[in-house]
Amino acid sequence: HELVARGTGAPYVELFESFVQDCRSIDISEKLIHALREMKRDFRIILATGNTDALERYSIPRRESMFDIFDDIDNSFRIGRMKYDDGGAYFSHRAEQEGIPMQRAYLLEDSEGTCEVFRALGGTAYLVNSEPTALHALGAIIREMVLENVS
């Protein structure tokens, strides 16, 4: 924030307070929340984010319900690497930790590059950038699971 304040001439305190307020007012679609809670019956759901420590410092304390939605929240700031670093080592390690092959892992992601890394490891990735694309991806995952159970 100091760099932005210096570069723009904007007051640091105002910038930082605005940032904190934005973090605290993060909104998650009720439709997505419902769909994710339904999926928790059959899946472990992990939020892996490339955020700074702001998510844990400002967003989660105001949204304790995030722990009802996600089984774990992995923040690149805390784990010390980005999801796509080292050819997606985070994903491989997490799948191993969860005891599942990458072929049974799914990713909803807003970065095509990260989706490509995940796919190269054998996982199924969906590029999402809105509520409708996220809901579509979750529906596709559910349909795939139903088809596997019928076969």
Side-chain angles (χ1 to χ4, degrees), residues 134-150:
L135 290 170
H136 177 78
L138 293 174
I141 294 167
I142 291 168
R143 284 189 296 280
E144 182 177 326
M145 295 303 298
V146 168
L147 290 175
E148 281 182 13
N149 289 333
V150 170

Side-chain angles (χ1 to χ4, degrees), residues 43-135:
F43 291 90
R44 282 197 28 90
I45 300 176
I46 300 165
L47 171 63
T49 179
N51 277 309
T52 65
D53 65 334
L55 182 75
E56 293 173 356
R57 289 175 66 199
Y58 307 116
S59 300
I60 293 174
R62 302 280 295 206
R63 301 279 183 182
E64 287 294 326
S65 63
M66 289 179 79
F67 289 110
D68 295 336
I69 302 164
F70 302 104
D71 295 297
D72 283 316
I73 298 175
D74 289 346
N75 184 330
S76 61
F77 178 82
R78 185 172 40 81
I79 64 174
R81 67 173 142 186
M82 300 296 284
K83 296 178 278 190
Y84 50 77
D85 285 349
D86 302 318
Y90 162 78
F91 296 123
S92 299
H93 174 75
R94 200 55 153 115
E96 184 178 313
Q97 194 176 29
E98 295 294 326
I100 63 164
M102 282 299 298
Q103 294 75 14
R104 301 274 302 149
Y106 299 90
L107 175 70
L108 277 66
E109 171 64 41
D110 64 354
S111 162
E112 181 59 40
T114 304
C115 286
E116 290 172 11
V117 167
F118 193 80
R119 289 181 192 119
L121 294 169
T124 302
Y126 296 90
L127 181 64
V128 299
N129 54 18
S130 65
E131 178 188 86
T133 58
L135 290 170

